[in-house]
Amino acid sequence: MKSYFDTIHHHRIRGYLGYFISDKIVLRLIWKFLRSGILDKDIYIETTKGARQGGPLSPILANVYLNMLDRELEKRGHRFVRYADDFVIYVKSRRAAERVMEGVKEFIEKDLQLTINEEKSQICGATKATFLGFNIQNLMGK
């Protein structure tokens, strides 16, 4: 996803968190974290969207927010791997990959209101893909 942590929708994540967490104190604490703002050279900038990347809460918020994507992919019968905002979907053919890419892009942009990173997104064979620094190799033919 393109600039995922910069564009996460605060009110939407708040609603999703309310589904998973019943403790109002924890929800308020997370809300304060999201709305805490940024201090840039003694100038306070209010944050109305996004979540700071690199903190311990960011991957959790990504997993909660993108849980809807996981459910949609499962509903469509896709095999996939996702960590935070990075994911790989495995299909059997290039034609299926193109169809899945189009459908998933539409779901992400329309339903989740996020943007796909066109530069990083690709269609390739499983042994050609690198996911989070790892790739699958077929050593049986060597």
Side-chain angles (χ1 to χ4, degrees):
M1 286 217 237
K2 185 176 184 179
S3 303
Y4 170 77
F5 288 100
D6 297 333
T7 60
I8 189 172
H9 194 275
H10 282 184
H11 290 286
R12 190 171 273 206
I13 189 71
R14 186 180 195 183
Y16 292 160
L17 288 168
Y19 178 78
F20 293 105
I21 302 170
S22 59
D23 189 328
K24 301 292 182 206
I25 295 170
V26 172
L27 289 172
R28 241 186 338 267
L29 181 63
I30 293 170
W31 185 247
K32 286 181 179 184
F33 169 81
L34 285 171
R35 306 289 293 198
S36 63
I38 301 167
L39 191 59
D40 184 20
K41 298 180 184 170
D42 296 330
I43 299 172
Y44 174 76
I45 302 166
E46 184 179 349
T47 52
T48 58
K49 63 180 181 176
R52 280 180 289 204
Q53 190 172 356
L57 198 53
S58 297
I60 294 168
L61 292 175
N63 285 333
V64 169
Y65 196 80
L66 295 173
N67 182 58
M68 297 292 284
L69 174 63
D70 297 347
R71 298 300 151 249
E72 182 67 19
L73 294 174
E74 288 171 353
K75 186 172 82 176
R76 295 179 185 191
H78 296 308
R79 296 179 184 262
F80 64 97
V81 177
R82 184 180 63 75
Y83 177 78
D85 63 324
D86 294 309
F87 63 97
V88 175
I89 303 170
Y90 296 98
V91 295
K92 294 184 179 183
S93 70
R94 180 161 192 85
R95 184 170 181 222
E98 291 167 355
R99 183 179 40 78
V100 168
M101 175 78 96
E102 184 178 315
V104 168
K105 179 180 175 183
E106 180 180 333
F107 176 81
I108 288 171
E109 291 180 350
K110 181 179 155 198
D111 294 11
L112 299 179
Q113 297 178 347
L114 297 170
T115 305
I116 294 286
N117 186 332
E118 299 289 342
E119 294 173 15
K120 288 173 65 177
S121 299
Q122 59 180 320
I123 295 174
C124 62
T127 58
K128 302 274 192 260
T130 300
F131 180 62
L132 300 174
F134 294 93
N135 61 0
I136 299 170
Q137 296 182 2
N138 181 0
L139 300 176
M140 299 300 281
K142 292 186 177 189

